[in-house]
Amino acid sequence: MSDRVDVLRSRWLLLRNRQGDRAALGGLVSLWERPLLYYLRRLLDSEEDAWDAVQETWLIVVRELPRLRDDAAFPAWVYTIARRVAFRARQRSRPTLELPNDDHPDAPVVGEEEPSLAGFDPLDIHRGLARLGLVHRDVLTLRVLEGFSIAEIAAITGVVEGTVKSRLFHAKRAMRTMLEGGSS
């Protein structure tokens, strides 16, 4: 997840916003716009689509902000909104790598050690993400690139932790195979 300082800044800005400080909302946008754009750019096919999704995300955040009860949950909450916006925005998707159906929390991961992506060129990883299906690309981005915990990813994606772990395993294995020049 994001830096603890960012989380504390968010809580402070949310408090100021609730007290009527209109500039505080601008501070939240400044703090989270780039990380959200980075995340959405990994889910959507173009920079333009990602910017559109960022704008739509902030419109929803502004409208729904009074319903947020736990300011500490703001990062996961805003990523959940961004994720929903991105999934809705993907009307047409290009062919992606088919991975096992792991929507079941007990999906078997056949005793293999979790693959690592350490040592690979970040640019190659970003290119490889585009070949993964959206749900696998999503969890891999949230974990590896955004640094969210398994529990936070489960909250953002709305699936149980076992499903998150399974999706991560299969996504990392497929990504590693791609990066090593395999056919997956």
Side-chain angles (χ1 to χ4, degrees):
M1 184 176 111
S2 286
D3 184 311
R4 283 316 255 168
V5 174
D6 289 347
V7 174
L8 291 173
R9 270 191 202 126
S10 296
R11 292 177 77 178
W12 178 69
L13 289 165
L14 288 164
L15 177 63
R16 285 183 39 209
N17 181 65
R18 283 196 180 91
Q19 293 173 343
D21 182 354
R22 294 260 188 228
L25 188 57
L28 278 173
V29 171
S30 295
L31 185 61
W32 290 101
E33 183 175 61
R34 280 287 174 204
L36 286 173
L37 176 64
Y38 181 79
Y39 170 64
L40 289 166
R41 184 60 188 98
R42 302 299 153 264
L43 299 181
L44 300 170
D45 291 331
S46 74
E47 181 118 3
E48 182 181 323
D49 291 344
W51 275 112
D52 289 345
V54 167
Q55 295 303 314
E56 187 176 341
T57 297
W58 284 113
L59 289 171
I60 295 168
V61 167
V62 168
R63 185 180 68 231
E64 299 295 324
L65 197 55
R67 295 182 184 181
L68 179 65
R69 297 288 173 239
D70 179 8
D71 290 350
F74 181 79
W77 181 72
V78 75
Y79 272 80
T80 301
I81 293 169
R83 180 180 185 274
R84 287 183 190 141
V85 168
F87 274 60
R88 279 194 311 262
R90 288 192 56 96
Q91 299 292 327
R92 292 175 260 153
S93 65
R94 53 188 170 157
T96 56
L97 191 59
E98 288 300 318
L99 297 178
N101 178 1
D102 49 8
D103 285 343
H104 190 277
D106 299 322
V109 175
V110 231
E112 293 181 47
E113 186 176 317
E114 183 170 320
S116 170
L117 300 178
F120 289 104
D121 184 322
L123 187 56
D124 291 335
I125 292 173
H126 287 286
R127 284 188 198 122
L129 281 171
R131 291 190 54 209
L132 294 177
L134 192 55
V135 295
H136 292 94
R137 182 187 323 178
D138 185 31
V139 295
L140 196 58
T141 299
L142 288 168
R143 180 68 170 172
V144 175
L145 302 177
E146 298 292 334
F148 282 100
S149 71
I150 299 294
E152 290 168 325
I153 295 169
I156 290 168
T157 60
V159 298
V160 297
E161 290 182 26
T163 299
V164 170
K165 290 177 186 177
S166 179
R167 287 178 182 176
L168 274 171
F169 176 85
H170 292 296
K172 282 182 176 181
R173 184 173 61 189
M175 178 70 77
R176 186 163 182 92
T177 302
M178 277 188 276
L179 295 172
E180 290 173 342
S183 61
S184 285

